[in-house]
Amino acid sequence: MTDNAVKPLNMLLVEEQALLRRTVALTARSLGLGTIHEAASMEAAERLLREHSFHGAVISIDCGSLPGCTYNLALLDRVRKGLYASNSGIPIAVMAEHATAELLSDLRKRHVSRVILKPFRARVLLDAFASFEQLAPHKS
């Protein structure tokens, strides 16, 4: 590999559904979109974020169908504060069940580049990861 060769993107997918995570990761690899690291929980995502530098992330912020439950934006806040190995400006897309005006405002403040409403096709996630190549602040 020469010095000017482009390194594949290193990306994070945080989603509790194993089948969706696996499908997207394997398909992204076969399409040459880069390496998708999978996390089934926020705790697993934080471990990966401490250990690896990512060029982008797609994060499920749902808290399920629990009454009175609010979206969990803590992981987004910690990424944006630069508390992990990744550049704090990496492109982030979020997956959510519903998008209220308040949620969209909160996500805009956190510089979220895309909101993906559930249900969706796996192709939507692949498109989000593909867009990170143009949005990533730098490649390392």
Side-chain angles (χ1 to χ4, degrees):
M1 184 183 281
T2 61
D3 286 346
N4 61 357
V6 176
K7 294 180 183 179
L9 295 181
N10 201 27
M11 297 171 281
L12 177 64
L13 174 59
V14 183
E15 166 58 51
E16 65 182 31
Q17 293 181 20
L19 180 59
L20 176 60
R21 279 195 328 272
R22 204 75 215 123
T23 300
V24 170
L26 291 172
T27 305
R29 186 177 304 127
S30 71
L31 293 173
L33 294 178
T35 302
I36 309 290
H37 294 259
E38 303 172 50
S41 66
M42 293 295 176
E43 294 78 16
E46 287 194 281
R47 189 172 45 256
L48 286 169
L49 283 161
R50 283 190 297 271
E51 297 169 0
H52 303 281
S53 178
F54 294 100
H55 297 98
V58 176
I59 301 170
S60 176
I61 59 170
D62 281 334
C63 56
S65 58
L66 302 172
C69 189
T70 59
Y71 290 106
N72 185 351
L73 305 178
L75 187 66
L76 293 174
D77 290 337
R78 288 191 286 273
V79 169
R80 290 302 185 225
K81 288 178 183 175
L83 301 180
Y84 300 117
S86 301
N87 180 303
S88 64
I90 63 169
I92 296 176
V94 298
M95 296 176 283
E97 293 280 337
H98 308 284
T100 64
E102 180 183 6
L103 175 63
L104 292 174
S105 174
D106 288 344
L107 295 175
R108 201 172 302 116
K109 290 175 193 170
R110 289 163 175 86
H111 306 286
V112 169
S113 57
R114 184 179 236 172
V115 177
I116 301 166
L117 295 178
K118 295 179 179 182
F120 55 82
R121 296 183 182 270
R123 181 73 210 176
V124 173
L125 292 184
L126 293 168
D127 290 343
F129 283 120
S131 74
F132 290 167
E133 189 166 13
Q134 289 80 34
L135 298 174
H138 72 299
K139 294 183 183 177
S140 53

